[in-house]
Amino acid sequence: MSANGAVGFWNTKELSQTYANNNRDFFRPTTDKVLQLAEELVDRSTAKNILDLASGTGNPAIRLALAFPDCHVHATDLAPAMLKLLDVTVADLKINNISSSVADAQDLAFAGNASYDAITFSLGLQLLKDTAKCLSECARVLKPGGALIISVPGPISKTDGARTTKEVHDRVVPNDPWMDINAMGTGDALKTAAEKAGFQQLCAAEVNNPITGSMDQMKAISIRGLLSAGLKTEDEQRKKHHGPDAKSCYAEADKVLEELLRQNGWLQAGGLIHLPSNVAIVLSAVKPMS
């Protein structure tokens, strides 16, 4: 799930490990839907190559490789730290039909025209600067009749994690531009973008991903993840104007996050956090035969 300016905070050992530890569980319902659609749309008798974009630490690429043992799965991501953990898992599981490489989803120059039977792209399109270019590239490298399966975060009103993170952003670093990760999952934005790229047979579904985790996990993805760039800049400015003993904006963000979680009743006994609504939009589409 990494792309462009977002790659910086994903490409760290700490966050990559946090993501590896939690992503398979946090977003399992969405991954299950992606696998279900792949099973329905990919012809096992003829399919040979599947491309997974923004693979992160291997979700859903590894499950795709296991589900389609006669296909080669090419896992790609902009963050080498993520792919390193993917490779470790692949080696541990002794999977021999998957490979990985660093690649930008907006520039699939490594792939020839009509070279893949299916493309999956889980929870990463929303991070790109040029979604139209990415979808155009997907259309180019897919074989006619090939399937495209994409998931993105749903509307912010239905994603507790993103909405809470934005509230922290607005209170602690309001002048830093907000990366709207929910834009593609709002209304018909995703379907419209795929249609403009020439895809047909578009079908979108909402999938909820209730999340239960620790405060440290939430802070790692929210505070030291999505807000990392803005908080770093703000922290540097505070130290510049008020000296090394200036109040840490990281500590302030942590405090605001905990306050919001308590207000919403999401902080449970024992320190666990339960976010009941984290909707993803999962879109399937097909490249026309001609």
Side-chain angles (χ1 to χ4, degrees), residues 180-260:
D180 189 358
I181 63 171
N182 300 94
M184 289 302 297
T186 302
D188 290 328
L190 182 56
K191 289 180 71 174
T192 299
E195 193 170 33
K196 286 182 178 179
F199 288 96
Q200 298 178 352
Q201 301 179 43
L202 291 87
C203 183
E206 286 192 359
V207 179
N208 190 27
N209 301 265
I211 291 176
T212 299
S214 69
M215 181 67 75
D216 286 344
Q217 290 168 334
M218 181 71 180
K219 288 177 180 178
I221 294 174
S222 175
I223 305 302
R224 280 133 192 103
L226 288 171
L227 300 184
S228 60
L231 289 171
K232 180 181 179 181
T233 300
E234 176 65 19
D235 216 47
E236 290 172 351
Q237 289 297 315
R238 290 184 182 187
K239 290 177 180 177
K240 179 179 179 180
H241 291 99
H242 303 290
D245 296 328
K247 181 180 179 182
S248 168
C249 65
Y250 290 97
E252 183 181 348
D254 286 348
K255 183 178 179 181
V256 172
L257 176 63
E258 292 181 24
E259 176 187 318
L260 291 169

Side-chain angles (χ1 to χ4, degrees), residues 61-69 73 93 95 97:
I62 290 172
R63 287 183 62 185
L64 283 166
L66 293 171
F68 293 88
V73 177
L93 295 176
I95 303 173
N97 63 322

Side-chain angles (χ1 to χ4, degrees), residues 10 174-175 204 256 284:
W10 293 116
N175 295 323
V256 172
S284 63

